[in-house]
Structures are given as C-alpha cells and as structure tokens.
Amino acid sequence: PAVNGGQGGSAITHLEKPRHLARERGDALQEARILRYLGSAHYMLLGNPDSAGRVLKESATIARREGWRFEATQAEAVFSGILTFTGSHAQSLQLKRRGLECAIESGKWMMACNYAQNLALVAALHGQSGEAAKAAECALGFAERTHQNHMAARAYEVLAIVSAQRSRPREAFRQL
C-alpha cells in the first residue's frame, strides 16, 4: 500500500524488511527483485537518483552473479531511465541496447518492443538519427508482431523526428 500510495519513506521501510529476510534466507532472486523495487521507490517516490542508482546496480550485480541475465537487464532498464534524466546519455543508450538484446534473446517480444522504442526515442533526442531510425523500425516490427498499435504510433513519432532532423519535412509529416 505504501508503494502505490505515494508515501516514499514508508515504501522504503516496507521494502527493506523483505529485502533483509530474502538475504537471510539466501534467496538471491527475491533480493534482486526487491532491490529493483527499492531503486524505483528511491527514484520515483523520493526523487533520489543517486540512491536509486546504487540500489539498482546492486540488484543487477546480484542477478548477474547468479546467472540471471534477464533480471539483471530489468534493473539496468530502470537505471537507464535514471541515467537519461541525469544526463548520462551514452551510458543510458548502452544499457538500453543491452536490454533490447536480452529481451530479443529471451523471446520477450512485448518487452523488446518497449525497449526498442525507448532506445529509438533517446537516440533521436541525442542526435543519433541512424540508430534511432533502426531502433524505431525494430520497434515497429515488434509492435506488429504483438499487436501493440500504441507502440507503433510512438515508433512512427520517432521516425518523424528523425526525418525532421534530416531536413525531410514531407517524410516527417507522412510518418505522423
């Protein structure tokens, strides 16, 4: 209730107890998941990107140590959003690329669609139009495969941005 109720400090307190229980019991998977939730709470509810980053890195480290690439990638995906917000765009793009690769390898098509669209948007907004177009096309393919019309619309928006960046106004308008 505290996590969804917007009570940041209370959410952190409520998540710390199960984290310690998971650690005591040696349940690394639960500890990694709880750390991911804690990282999100630190960032979204308390507005503390530094604490969030530290906790999310710990989550990813535990997951990687245990050989759980997908769980590590989920923590890194949240962290990549924080990096984008704090201005570390190159590192954010690197994590987004790794997340997309992992989602594709895992056969998680809806997640791959989301990751591709996020990668496309961040790349477009930071001047990497070639990568943005490629990721947006990838997102369109996954959107079609998973019947996510809203994601296709977002990918077309990125393609319009890229066309505008390349001084192709007619093509940009057509994408919208």
Side-chain angles (χ1 to χ4, degrees):
V3 175
N4 294 329
Q7 302 168 1
S10 182
I12 300 297
T13 303
H14 285 31
L15 288 167
E16 283 292 344
K17 185 175 181 178
R19 174 192 175 197
H20 291 298
L21 285 172
R23 181 173 281 173
E24 286 175 9
R25 293 182 180 167
D27 190 342
L29 179 59
Q30 285 304 320
E31 184 179 5
R33 286 179 178 163
I34 293 166
L35 284 167
R36 192 175 74 236
Y37 300 141
L38 267 171
S40 294
H42 275 285
Y43 182 62
M44 293 188 293
L45 300 176
L46 298 180
N48 189 340
D50 295 330
S51 292
R54 179 183 45 76
V55 171
L56 290 165
K57 284 180 185 177
E58 186 178 352
S59 174
T61 299
I62 291 170
R64 286 209 187 284
R65 181 186 68 223
E66 297 294 327
W68 302 318
R69 185 171 183 223
F70 186 74
E71 285 76 9
T73 300
Q74 287 180 310
E76 290 174 345
V78 176
F79 186 49
S80 74
I82 294 169
L83 290 170
T84 299
F85 178 75
T86 58
S88 300
H89 308 298
Q91 190 177 1
S92 174
L93 285 169
Q94 179 183 5
L95 291 177
K96 288 180 185 307
R97 286 183 206 108
R98 188 162 47 192
L100 175 58
E101 178 184 307
C102 180
I104 291 169
E105 288 174 1
S106 302
K108 308 279 187 187
W109 307 124
M110 291 180 86
M111 187 172 284
C113 182
N114 186 37
Y115 286 178
Q117 194 282 325
N118 286 331
L119 174 61
L121 182 60
V122 172
L125 294 177
H126 297 288
Q128 297 187 12
S129 59
E131 180 173 21
K134 184 177 178 184
E137 292 290 345
C138 184
L140 283 171
F142 291 125
E144 184 178 312
R145 180 181 207 156
T146 58
H147 308 288
Q148 296 185 85
N149 294 333
H150 66 291
M151 293 303 288
R154 292 175 68 190
Y156 279 120
E157 288 173 359
V158 171
L159 289 173
I161 291 169
V162 169
S163 294
Q165 288 172 338
R166 294 176 173 170
S167 299
R168 297 180 185 159
R170 287 188 181 138
E171 188 177 323
F173 184 72
R174 187 176 47 81
Q175 297 292 348
L176 295 174

